[in-house]
Amino acid sequence: MIKFRLILSTKIFKMVNINQLISRDLKHFWHPCTQMKDFETCPPLFIEKAHGSYLYTNKGPLIDAISSWWCKSLGHGHPAVIAAIKDQLDQFEHVITANTTNPQLVALAEELAQITKKQHVFFASDGSSAVEIAMKLAIHANQIKGYTDKNQFIALQNGYHGETLGTMSISDLGLYKAPYRSFSLTCHYVEDIPYISGKEDLLWNNCDAYWSIVEKKLEAISNKVCAIVVEPLVQGAGGMLCYSPDFLKRLSSWAKRNNIYLIADEIMTGMGRTGKWLASHHADVEPDLICLSKGLTSGSIPLSCVMIDNSIFDLFYADYDSGKSFLHSHTYSGNALAVSAALATIRAMREEKIIEQAQNLGEYMFAALTEVAKLSGKLNNVRGIGAVVAADLEDREDHRIGNKVYQQALNHGALIRPIGKTLYWLPPLNTNHEVIGKLAEITLNSIKRAYVTP
């Protein structure tokens, strides 16, 4: 059957042949992080509009349970964010910021400095670029200080920091990384990580047994390393794994003692996702560099940044020809529309007490997913920090079980995109409990059906 949908565009109704549109899509658009052959059995969704926690599609309304790749901090179409973008558009959409400034840019820099306690901000467009900038700064800063041999990195096993060649070098990505391994920078991975289920876990405040093992391994490489890069407390693409704040605190202290920079990749965990402005705040840790993106603009326009201490900034404050300048060029650094969206997002988060909402939402989601695990009998290791919860699907034989749950959920009213066999919820931070209740029911039914589907 040919599917048609009425679309209201500039107040004129147009008839859209959805099957035809999808066919045209698959001829040209290479979808990100997707095996395109999968679309032979499960075509891409047709999106009509999005609002709040919902996507409106050819399969009907769907709860956006993953915040459209973890970025919709205030949901789709938040009025304050949209209004800020429209207001800025009437002034100018983008001007080079290498030589210019404007009120919105300054206001956002001040807000971010207040949130992160870092004095300087370097803007880019996406998370990978932000982490890459932080890595370059760590290498370059050590060269300026005379430590030319300190050019290696430490990262955590199961960590993910982006997909440029530099960030992939410090990511533990297995299949995704394998073809490019020969181009990598040197990175040492910490393996003995104290994973936890949540705040009630005994390891939350004390990970002595783990740290004594890790510290010995770190000491052997300390003189070669310029920076440690971590996703604070929650490892996203690695399977939404949660680890001990005490571990992060000890790692930070060790780094400072050994003159090694700590880079906090808060691309996913920052901007309230874990129930605090930054996940690092759970451990009372002050990283040397902090990378932000995703929820920074509530997923409206791409924007990322690196927050930098005076101690690093001052190393590069010199005459142009001194060799100390940091000359990273990014065309859209400080893009006016994105900056306006970010400023509106932060102000809305303060006014609507989104951090408190995230804490409450996380508790409710954890209880709901625990109940789904109990009723389904197919989930284990329920875990979560703030407004991100996860569990692992049981079925060692079927490596596609996550995809089956995804397809079933589409038919029942939710966009759930498991990572392998890890099922997780990461909805907008202002999602209400009624929506989470529906999501829990959809998840339960989808799991049940997935396990009986050939």
Side-chain angles (χ1 to χ4, degrees):
M1 179 183 294
I2 297 176
K3 296 181 181 179
F4 290 92
R5 184 71 56 159
L6 285 173
I7 306 296
L8 182 59
S9 177
T10 61
K11 300 184 178 180
I12 299 174
F13 281 102
K14 291 195 257 186
M15 208 57 138
V16 174
N17 182 322
I18 295 174
N19 291 343
Q20 188 181 79
L21 186 72
I22 290 173
S23 177
R24 289 163 56 198
D25 168 290
L26 296 179
K27 285 181 180 178
H28 301 289
F29 179 30
W30 196 337
H31 291 251
C33 198
T34 301
Q35 173 47 259
M36 294 295 290
K37 189 174 176 61
D38 287 346
F39 287 134
E40 292 179 7
T41 55
C42 186
L45 289 168
F46 174 82
I47 304 296
E48 292 182 20
K49 63 177 181 178
H51 181 73
S53 299
Y54 279 88
L55 305 173
Y56 295 87
T57 78
N58 56 316
K59 286 185 173 291
L62 299 178
I63 299 170
D64 188 351
I66 61 169
S67 290
S68 286
W69 247 340
W70 320 342
C71 66
K72 305 303 297 188
S73 50
L74 297 179
H76 296 273
H78 190 284
V81 177
I82 300 302
I85 294 170
K86 288 180 176 179
D87 287 347
Q88 180 58 48
L89 194 58
D90 288 336
Q91 305 303 314
F92 59 91
E93 77 283 16
H94 177 66
V95 172
I96 182 174
T97 57
N99 315 90
T100 70
T101 190
N102 61 74
Q104 301 292 79
L105 189 64
V106 173
L108 178 59
E110 290 172 341
E111 287 278 15
L112 290 171
Q114 182 179 348
I115 289 170
T116 65
K117 304 297 185 275
K118 301 294 165 204
Q119 295 78 25
H120 305 281
V121 55
F122 196 107
F123 286 111
S125 297
D126 58 89
S128 295
S129 292
V131 178
E132 189 108 354
I133 289 166
M135 292 171 66
K136 287 174 65 176
L137 280 167
I139 293 171
H140 198 163
N142 273 280
Q143 290 179 354
I144 292 173
K145 291 191 292 184
Y147 305 131
T148 54
D149 293 333
K150 289 172 72 71
N151 54 17
Q152 299 179 14
F153 292 86
I154 294 172
L156 303 186
Q157 187 179 57
N158 300 312
Y160 171 80
H161 302 286
E163 294 179 30
T164 58
L165 285 177
T167 57
M168 195 173 285
S169 298
I170 59 168
S171 298
D172 185 22
L173 289 174
L175 174 68
Y176 297 88
K177 179 177 178 177
Y180 320 105
R181 197 175 300 276
S182 62
F183 300 97
S184 295
L185 296 165
T186 301
C187 183
H188 308 272
Y189 291 101
V190 176
E191 298 176 351
D192 302 286
I193 303 170
Y195 288 118
I196 60 174
S197 58
K199 289 186 177 182
E200 303 305 317
D201 198 302
L202 294 177
L203 289 170
W204 180 273
N205 291 312
N206 192 320
C207 67
D208 276 339
Y210 287 84
W211 179 250
S212 60
I213 298 171
V214 170
E215 188 174 25
K216 289 179 183 177
K217 295 179 180 179
L218 294 180
E219 291 294 343
I221 56 174
S222 61
N223 63 334
K224 305 174 184 177
V225 173
C226 64
I228 300 174
V229 189
V230 298
E231 298 162 276
L233 304 195
V234 185
Q235 296 178 300
M240 296 298 167
L241 299 170
C242 307
Y243 65 90
S244 163
D246 184 50
F247 184 74
L248 180 58
K249 185 179 294 186
R250 291 168 188 258
L251 200 59
S252 174
S253 297
W254 181 86
K256 282 181 170 55
R257 289 197 304 272
N258 287 276
N259 196 26
I260 294 171
Y261 293 121
L262 178 65
I263 300 173
D265 176 354
E266 296 258 11
I267 304 300
M268 182 195 77
T269 55
M271 303 310 295
R273 176 52 59 182
T274 66
K276 292 184 181 290
W277 279 109
L278 302 176
S280 306
H281 291 166
H282 287 283
D284 294 322
V285 163
E286 293 187 11
D288 299 292
L289 303 104
I290 300 171
C291 303
L292 297 171
S293 189
K294 290 193 182 289
L296 183 58
T297 67
S298 192
S300 57
I301 296 178
L303 180 69
S304 65
C305 68
V306 185
M307 302 303 302
I308 303 154
D309 257 334
N310 269 332
S311 60
I312 297 174
F313 176 84
D314 289 346
L315 291 172
F316 296 89
Y317 197 83
D319 292 333
Y320 185 86
D321 58 358
S322 67
K324 296 181 179 181
S325 299
F326 184 65
L327 300 177
H328 182 95
S329 302
H330 197 102
T331 301
Y332 294 103
S333 179
N335 172 263
L337 298 179
V339 164
S340 297
L343 190 56
T345 297
I346 292 172
R347 288 172 175 172
M349 290 182 74
R350 294 190 192 281
E351 292 170 6
E352 299 172 24
K353 301 187 184 304
I354 294 295
I355 303 299
E356 291 85 345
Q357 285 192 51
Q359 294 170 358
N360 181 267
L361 177 64
E363 293 172 2
Y364 191 81
M365 290 199 304
F366 190 90
L369 190 58
T370 300
E371 184 68 10
V372 171
K374 177 181 176 181
L375 294 174
S376 69
K378 297 295 183 182
L379 289 175
N380 56 42
N381 189 21
V382 178
R383 55 194 180 272
I385 298 176
V388 49
V389 296
D392 299 322
L393 292 158
E394 292 183 359
D395 198 327
R396 296 179 182 177
E397 302 299 323
D398 188 355
H399 71 283
R400 298 289 284 171
I401 188 63
N403 186 261
K404 290 179 179 178
V405 172
Y406 158 75
Q407 293 189 39
Q408 289 294 333
L410 291 182
N411 294 325
H412 292 89
L415 177 62
I416 299 173
R417 199 173 189 267
I419 302 169
K421 295 180 182 179
T422 297
L423 184 147
Y424 69 94
W425 297 339
L426 203 151
L429 300 177
N430 50 6
T431 302
N432 62 46
H433 289 189
E434 181 182 357
V435 170
I436 299 303
K438 292 178 182 176
L439 177 59
E441 182 179 353
I442 292 167
T443 301
L444 176 61
N445 291 331
S446 299
I447 290 172
K448 288 180 177 179
R449 285 172 172 80
Y451 278 89
V452 298
T453 301

